[in-house]
Amino acid sequence: MSSPTALCAGRVAVVTGAGRGLGRAHALALAAEGARVVVNDLGVGLDGSGGATAPAQQVVEEIRAAGGEAVAHCADIATAEGAASLVATALDAFGGLDTLVNNAGFLRDRMLVNLDEDDWDAVTRVHLRGHFLPLKHAAAHWRSEAKAGRVPEARVVNTSSGAGLLGSVGQVCYSAAKAGIVALTLVAAAELGRYGVQVNAIAPAARTRMTEETFAATMAAPAAGAFDAMAPENVSPLVAWLGSAASAGVSGRVFEAEAGRITVMEGWRPGPTADKGARWSPAEAGEAATALLARAEPPQPVYGAR
């Protein structure tokens, strides 16, 4: 299954939520580029319920059938024990860890006034804590390697979303968690660069279990032989490159990836400003803010807003 470029030859990659959809596509793409892959997946339903080992093991078998190397990991990476065992699995099975792709997640969509705190906690737990804990344990390993004089060429690819960048009606907890992942990415990139670790994020748009109903309602299925713009495999080449040594020097960035398009996302930057040099009165502050807004770029619309 090797690619002519073999960008990830000799590397060990971990992909969370890799039993289906984007995670599966990322695991296969990394393996095709020569990586040995730890395929993590709990095998839960779309809402996070249930669990099974079959999805992860099926991807492992796909990689092996194509001539690659892979092992399954089916623990909960949103727990300290599960995240620690994820890193330990890579070290035990393949003797190292070079690339971490954080991808696991599920949905419990509700309008804000209808959202239960248990649903909020469940979604932010798997998306945000499920990014933080694997990253923490992988970073601890890489820091130890760097302090021992073995500075790694480590790569982390986190998964945000357009919902995290712009917001999405009916997805307040998902949007908040995905926005948190962007901030996590920026801070981790700043803190871990000294240890040879690069951290980036993607905001993918593709047909997965979480999006299939949306795309089914808005897009027709591609004709036979035509380019499938919503295939998750369209996103994975960027992930494979970011996860390779070839991406040297790229860190703290967010990329939107959809169909055949890659966009470098540019986040909060200072816009129009006014400085009185003293304290504003409320009325003055309002006048100044109104004048500044007239000069500012209008915000991008929230997904689903009318």
Side-chain angles (χ1 to χ4, degrees), residues 14-282:
V14 167
V15 185
T16 69
R20 304 179 179 95
L22 282 165
R24 170 183 172 274
H26 300 341
L28 293 174
L30 287 160
E33 292 295 333
R36 293 168 288 173
V37 184
V38 177
V39 178
N40 163 266
D41 203 283
L42 272 178
V44 298
L46 182 58
D47 64 352
S49 61
T53 60
Q57 192 58 45
Q58 287 170 359
V59 176
V60 168
E61 295 306 325
E62 284 187 76
I63 292 172
R64 290 176 177 172
E69 296 182 64
V71 295
H73 177 270
C74 299
D76 183 358
I77 47 81
T79 67
E81 296 80 6
S85 71
L86 179 69
V87 173
T89 297
L91 299 178
D92 293 344
F94 300 125
L97 174 60
D98 303 289
T99 300
L100 169 64
V101 180
N102 284 315
N103 170 77
F106 61 74
L107 293 177
R108 291 185 186 175
D109 291 348
R110 302 283 191 279
M111 301 297 281
L112 191 150
V113 296
N114 296 323
L115 182 67
D116 293 333
E117 61 186 80
D118 288 346
D119 290 330
W120 173 278
D121 290 344
V123 171
T124 55
R125 174 186 182 276
V126 71
H127 285 281
L128 194 49
R129 195 158 87 178
H131 272 61
F132 159 63
L133 286 173
L135 177 52
K136 174 184 176 179
H137 286 275
H141 165 69
W142 290 323
R143 182 180 63 174
S144 295
E145 289 291 289
K147 288 185 173 181
R150 299 183 295 271
V151 179
E153 289 184 302
R155 306 288 186 262
V156 179
V157 183
N158 291 329
T159 305
S160 183
S161 168
L165 303 175
L166 301 176
S168 179
V169 171
Q171 293 190 308
V172 63
C173 54
Y174 176 76
S175 297
K178 289 302 192 184
I181 288 167
V182 172
L184 172 65
T185 298
L186 300 180
V187 175
E191 290 186 356
L192 302 178
R194 72 190 73 178
Y195 305 123
V197 184
Q198 294 182 183
V199 188
N200 294 286
I202 59 168
R207 183 179 54 255
T208 68
R209 289 194 302 166
M210 292 197 293
T211 61
E212 60 186 357
E213 290 186 8
T214 299
F215 289 131
T218 59
M219 297 186 65
F227 175 52
D228 183 356
M230 289 296 102
E233 290 78 9
N234 298 333
V235 177
S236 300
L238 175 61
V239 172
W241 180 78
L242 287 171
S244 75
S247 64
V250 180
S251 196
R253 294 288 194 165
V254 180
F255 297 84
E256 190 175 61
E258 177 182 355
R261 185 176 72 249
I262 296 171
T263 304
V264 177
M265 304 302 288
E266 298 182 335
W268 295 106
R269 297 174 181 272
T273 186
D275 185 356
K276 180 182 176 182
R279 183 179 302 154
W280 303 90
S281 72

